Amino acid sequence: MSDLVINELTKAFGETIAVNDLCLKFEEGEAVVLLGPSGCGKTTLLKLIAGFLQPDNGHIAIGDDIISTPHEVIPPDRRQMSMVFQSYAIWPHKTVFQNVAYGLEVRKINKSDIKKRVMNALSMVQLDGLEGRYSTELSGGQQQRVAVARAIVVEPSLLLLDEPLSNLDANLRIEMRSELSDLHKRLGITFVYVTHDQAEAMVLGDRIVLMNYGRMVQEGTPEVFYQTPKNRFAASFIGTSNIFSGKLENGSSGGTIRVRTDFGPITVAKQVENAASSADEVYFCVRPEWVKFHTEAPGTDINVYKVRILKRQYYGKYIQYTVDLKGKEIIVEATDEWDIPLEAEVNLEFPPERCVCLENN
Ligand SMILES: Nc1ncnc2c1ncn2[C@@H]1O[C@H](COP(=O)(O)OP(=O)(O)OP(=O)(O)O)[C@@H](O)[C@H]1O
Ligand SMILES: [Mg+2]
């Protein structure tokens, strides 16, 4: 399948604009994750792509072929796409084999080909040997695999997955997300994967599209999202962030700016795409593991402030501290070589290149 192009797509339900003037492109073979809070339009966008909904404005195209407009929608079964629903929607009164075979039967494929393809799809999702079971005799993870097998058996060019792991417990979720990632590599088809779990988005997405209120907030690789979130919403939605605001000081030049915060001046490296606007209110963020403790005098006095330890939580791989900096609480994550007691006073450094300037919105 060629690239899937979404152009100025809008879909409203009464007063609610679920998808708002969205432009996106999914490249062939890519795994794209749609991420965003509840109600931001993720499922609506998937249904528009799959052909279950008609847009109010804009269009969807595959290569040069327009497949959805406000006037005409090519139906789902003529789109070479499959969708895995959050609820799995597998039939309890059919066996695993019958569930997976259904899509091929309605396409009038001959019996021996159906058998071959179903067994192959079940093997892809590691359900060999379970074809005779009823779904009521399967675990949640196995049911989820049946739903995936049923979607891939029709050999779609694009697989749409709507929060397929949300009903699973934490451990199974981690296992299944890695299996889905392997499956994507094996099949080589385009995956569009919806989640509101940021860890899942980071692991599964070649690219993440972050949405809010039906619009795209930011798109990019997981690394881009983590290293250079675009605004406060992106910085707090993906990973933990300490977000600061202040006034832009005159005389900022070169690759850095100076921001006057409530606790004092901070030098912020100017990221190319996230350069602070000229507005005098400036926001920047620092991830908890990017700040550095110093128990002795640090080699620099740029961005170094005395803080007091308020809270200490041991996570094994790291210790998370909540520290007080002149009334502002900051989250710091440090390895256990920094075992600092409560109430202790230490120096905290905000390396300028780790202070990420945010857009002012
Ligand atoms: N059939 C419908 N009728 C009326 N409003 C709808 C309908 N479907 C969705 N909406 C509204 O459109 C907005 C987007 O819904 P959508 O289901 O796309 O969100 P979502 O991002 O998938 O959320 P979640 O993470 O909770 O699944 C919501 O405000 C929702 O209430
Ligand atoms: Mg949804």
Side-chain angles (χ1 to χ4, degrees), residues 59-102:
H59 70 253
I60 303 174
I62 295 176
D64 294 330
D65 299 327
I66 307 257
I67 56 170
S68 285
T69 70
H71 314 291
E72 195 183 2
V73 171
I74 307 278
D77 57 352
R78 288 180 37 215
R79 291 191 168 213
Q80 282 194 293
M81 297 176 186
S82 283
M83 185 155 165
V84 176
F85 295 90
Q86 180 171 349
S87 57
Y88 312 153
I90 56 177
W91 292 290
H93 59 282
K94 286 185 195 276
T95 62
V96 168
F97 185 95
Q98 289 163 342
N99 261 287
V100 178
Y102 181 78

Side-chain angles (χ1 to χ4, degrees), residues 105-247:
E105 284 163 1
V106 296
R107 285 172 172 79
K108 309 261 182 288
I109 310 266
N110 75 55
K111 275 207 155 68
S112 70
D113 280 349
I114 289 182
K115 175 139 203 231
K116 237 186 283 166
R117 284 170 64 173
V118 170
M119 297 315 266
N120 186 35
L122 289 175
S123 165
M124 285 264 196
V125 297
Q126 294 165 25
L127 281 181
D128 317 72
L130 295 187
E131 58 274 12
R133 290 239 199 129
Y134 286 88
S135 60
T136 46
E137 301 166 335
L138 299 173
S139 71
Q142 288 166 335
Q143 291 179 34
Q144 197 269 333
R145 284 172 222 218
V146 174
V148 173
R150 196 177 51 182
I152 63 177
V153 77
V154 295
E155 296 172 357
S157 305
L158 192 145
L159 186 59
L160 302 160
L161 301 120
D162 194 358
E163 308 216 30
L165 307 183
S166 57
N167 293 340
L168 307 181
D169 69 44
N171 284 337
L172 196 54
R173 233 182 133 120
I174 291 170
E175 194 185 312
M176 285 303 300
R177 80 182 179 210
S178 137
E179 281 185 22
L180 282 176
S181 171
D182 292 346
L183 187 69
H184 172 250
K185 289 188 186 86
R186 275 204 305 272
L187 294 173
I189 61 175
T190 314
F191 268 39
V192 181
Y193 189 103
V194 165
T195 182
H196 56 245
D197 178 323
Q198 53 107 1
E200 224 160 271
M202 302 283 281
V203 174
L204 282 164
D206 296 326
R207 192 156 59 97
I208 298 173
V209 173
L210 178 64
M211 292 174 63
N212 202 14
Y213 299 115
R215 291 180 184 272
M216 186 176 73
V217 176
Q218 185 174 7
E219 64 170 325
T221 61
E223 289 82 357
V224 164
F225 262 93
Y226 199 76
Q227 306 290 333
T228 49
K230 187 174 167 186
N231 56 19
R232 281 173 283 164
F233 174 75
S236 51
F237 203 84
I238 295 183
T240 310
S241 278
N242 295 294
I243 297 176
F244 301 91
S245 66
K247 299 264 180 272

Side-chain angles (χ1 to χ4, degrees), residues 17-71:
I17 304 177
V19 169
N20 195 348
D21 199 23
L22 203 63
C23 295
L24 274 175
K25 189 173 170 187
F26 301 97
E27 281 171 26
E28 193 178 349
E30 206 184 7
V32 182
V33 169
L34 302 178
L35 179 69
S38 186
C40 75
K42 305 179 297 293
T43 297
T44 305
L45 177 58
L46 279 201
K47 287 183 177 167
L48 285 161
I49 296 173
F52 294 115
L53 288 175
Q54 186 150 13
D56 297 326
N57 192 38
H59 70 253
I60 303 174
I62 295 176
D64 294 330
D65 299 327
I66 307 257
I67 56 170
S68 285
T69 70
H71 314 291

Side-chain angles (χ1 to χ4, degrees), residues 278-303:
S278 55
D280 55 13
E281 185 79 354
V282 178
Y283 293 92
F284 61 96
C285 77
V286 190
R287 302 281 186 198
E289 71 279 19
W290 291 350
V291 281
K292 289 185 195 157
F293 282 132
H294 294 276
T295 41
E296 288 162 19
T300 173
D301 57 3
I302 296 174
N303 293 1

